[in-house]
Amino acid sequence: MKEENQDTTHFGYKTVESNQKESLVADVFHSVAAKYDIMNDFMSFGIHRLWKRQTIACSGVRKGHRVLDLAGGTGDLTAKFSQLVGDTGQVILGDINDSMLKVGRDKLRDLGLVNNIEYVQMNAQALPFPDNSIDVITIAFGLRNVTDKDEAIRSMYRVLKPGGRLLILEFSKTDNEALSKLYDFYSFNILPTMGKLVANDSESYRYLAESIRMHPDQETLKGMMETAGFEQASYQNFTGGIVALHRGFKY
């Protein structure tokens, strides 16, 4: 969410120059890439796998589709999409961070998934694809790290085919006061400690906790999708609203 001054934006709770955020976020993910999958399981107690499974179930991906797994990191969604699109389809694992892409590529190749996956380093704000060329776009736990989220959503809309859909899986806001207090304590006390112990990096995980708090709430993000042109925009809360899955269609 940008501030009124378009020259500045948020990096966690800090205000930074907009042109600095990309490199600051890059440093975070260069640091955590090697331990990213392990930390995901620790941080969410494995529940992130259920959130991603539900995203895949809502994607409508089928044989022959061209799918963009944007900010796809280590390729959890790409692995399943690769099986769904088959030999006649294609999955593009796209991420702005080359360290994350390398980890994802190595993992997927170890799983024997090589024939229908392409790896592309890209910025979500300027997707390197023609208009109307992608059937489905997913972005899981990546939008909050984008400098200009509105521009990124417009870019996703542009490259989707008519009839295509966008799914955004992201941390969001819970209305449950007790859950919110517990989540805050976990995020700012337990999570950085886990980051230090597992990944030898507490500051990156403190940033990730802060970036979640600065991300637009469910209704705001739904409105951003509608402004970009998406129709039938909706969202589904998971785990009391700690995470939400937004969905929209291009007609």
Side-chain angles (χ1 to χ4, degrees), residues 76-95:
D76 284 348
L77 294 179
T78 294
K80 182 60 177 177
F81 287 144
S82 173
Q83 298 168 359
L84 291 174
V85 303
D87 293 337
T88 59
Q90 182 188 41
V91 184
I92 302 156
L93 175 55
D95 203 291

Side-chain angles (χ1 to χ4, degrees), residues 25-41:
V25 171
D27 289 342
V28 168
F29 285 93
H30 285 313
S31 175
V32 305
K35 299 286 187 178
Y36 187 78
D37 285 342
I38 295 171
M39 277 298 295
N40 272 353
D41 282 329

Side-chain angles (χ1 to χ4, degrees), residues 106-239:
D106 290 346
K107 182 171 79 173
L108 295 173
R109 285 179 176 174
D110 286 345
L111 292 172
L113 301 172
V114 295
N115 293 329
N116 59 2
I117 301 174
E118 182 180 357
Y119 303 89
V120 182
Q121 188 172 358
M122 66 180 71
N123 187 325
Q125 295 172 205
L127 295 175
F129 305 108
D131 296 358
N132 309 313
S133 61
I134 306 288
D135 292 290
V136 177
I137 299 175
T138 58
I139 178 167
F141 306 114
L143 185 61
R144 71 181 188 278
N145 298 309
V146 174
T147 303
D148 190 329
K149 298 172 183 61
D150 290 299
E151 186 176 10
I153 294 171
R154 288 194 299 270
S155 184
M156 296 176 215
Y157 183 86
R158 177 185 64 78
V159 303
L160 275 173
K161 295 178 181 178
R165 70 181 73 182
L166 167 66
L167 295 103
I168 302 172
L169 181 65
E170 189 55 89
F171 291 105
S172 201
K173 304 290 190 294
T174 176
D175 291 331
N176 185 309
E177 187 175 348
L179 181 59
S180 181
K181 288 180 179 178
L182 179 64
Y183 185 44
D184 281 346
F185 178 81
Y186 168 78
S187 296
F188 294 104
N189 294 276
I190 307 300
L191 183 56
T193 301
M194 291 171 61
K196 179 65 175 176
L197 292 174
V198 177
N200 196 31
D201 185 348
S202 61
E203 285 305 307
S204 289
Y205 285 94
R206 189 175 303 280
Y207 157 72
L208 292 175
E210 292 176 357
S211 70
I212 291 167
R213 301 314 188 279
M214 301 306 295
H215 187 67
D217 63 20
Q218 288 92 325
E219 284 294 329
T220 302
L221 181 53
K222 176 174 174 280
M224 292 164 66
M225 293 173 68
E226 291 170 339
T227 298
F230 284 97
E231 298 186 33
Q232 292 184 307
S234 63
Y235 61 86
Q236 178 182 0
N237 284 332
F238 300 147
T239 318

